[in-house]
Amino acid sequence: MAIIEEIKCSRCDRKYSGVRSRCPFCGARRIGRGKYSESSDNAKGKMLISVLIMGVFVVAAAVLLFSTEVPGEAAEAPSNGLSLGDEDGNVILDGLTPEPTPTPTPPPTPPPTPPPIPISSVVVTFAGSPIEEFTEPVGRDIGLQIRVEPPGAVSDYDITWESSNEDVFLVTPEFLTPDGQRGMGATVTIVGVGTEELTVTVGDVSTTVVVRGRR
């Protein structure tokens, strides 16, 4: 049975749709439900059912349209302008990746200090000649020097001059080494009568000179 029944025109006996109020063929006005329309059909009820069915289809189509995810478009999380990091774990702030902090370069390791050169001998000299003893009157000053072998080893050691008895003579270091170290030379001053020893030590090596004071 059709949802909307056809009716027959009372003038020309032709059938037309029940939704029309006039006959499309002769123009006769429709009177009541029509000459041959079925009394049990309710045209208005059928029309209402048709509208409801169409509304259901429209709602269903809208639900499917808005609930279906578009392929290739991932759901985006809300963003407040701050991202914790990218795929490599780098922290991102306001869309910018900070430059990595450079690793400080350690200072170069200084070369090891070479061991001191061993002293082989120490000799006391006067006017360039080695001496082992000398005699001078009280009040006389004598300038002495030392010769160290090997020559370059003297800068690695302390040099000491020592009088065995300062009542006979005094010793005062005066001359400087090439690097400014005091002790390569000394002045011996005779202050009394007697025989004593002058000791010169360079590192672990020592030598002695006999000093005599006279009137």
Side-chain angles (χ1 to χ4, degrees), residues 55-71:
V56 171
F57 281 118
V58 171
V59 173
V63 171
L64 291 175
L65 178 63
F66 289 105
S67 63
T68 303
E69 184 178 351
V70 178

Side-chain angles (χ1 to χ4, degrees), residues 7-16 23-26:
I7 62 175
K8 184 180 289 188
C9 180
S10 59
R11 179 185 296 176
C12 63
D13 289 337
R14 293 185 179 181
K15 292 182 178 181
Y16 61 90
C23 177
F25 303 106
C26 64

Side-chain angles (χ1 to χ4, degrees), residues 1-6 41 46:
M1 176 184 296
I3 295 177
I4 301 177
E5 297 290 340
E6 291 184 341
D41 292 336
K46 292 179 179 180

Side-chain angles (χ1 to χ4, degrees), residues 55-122:
V56 171
F57 281 118
V58 171
V59 173
V63 171
L64 291 175
L65 178 63
F66 289 105
S67 63
T68 303
E69 184 178 351
V70 178
E73 181 178 344
E76 295 183 359
S79 175
N80 57 1
L82 178 63
S83 176
L84 295 180
D86 56 13
E87 296 179 355
D88 297 330
N90 297 321
V91 177
I92 299 176
L93 182 62
D94 293 334
L96 298 177
T97 302
E99 296 183 357
T101 303
T103 302
T105 302
T109 303
T113 303
I117 302 173
I119 299 295
S120 60
S121 66
V122 177

Side-chain angles (χ1 to χ4, degrees), residues 85-199:
D86 56 13
E87 296 179 355
D88 297 330
N90 297 321
V91 177
I92 299 176
L93 182 62
D94 293 334
L96 298 177
T97 302
E99 296 183 357
T101 303
T103 302
T105 302
T109 303
T113 303
I117 302 173
I119 299 295
S120 60
S121 66
V122 177
V123 177
V124 178
T125 64
F126 174 72
S129 300
I131 60 173
E132 296 181 356
E133 61 179 358
F134 65 90
T135 302
E136 294 292 337
V138 175
R140 178 68 63 86
D141 292 334
I142 307 299
L144 303 178
Q145 290 181 310
I146 61 172
R147 182 185 302 156
V148 178
E149 296 295 338
V154 68
S155 61
D156 295 330
Y157 300 94
D158 292 329
I159 303 173
T160 60
W161 298 73
E162 185 179 2
S163 170
S164 61
N165 187 350
E166 292 186 349
D167 290 335
V168 175
F169 72 92
L170 301 175
V171 58
T172 305
E174 292 182 351
F175 300 98
L176 301 178
T177 61
D179 61 354
Q181 181 182 8
R182 227 181 207 330
M184 283 292 288
T187 297
V188 175
T189 302
I190 306 298
V191 295
V193 178
T195 300
E196 298 294 337
E197 288 186 346
L198 169 66
T199 303

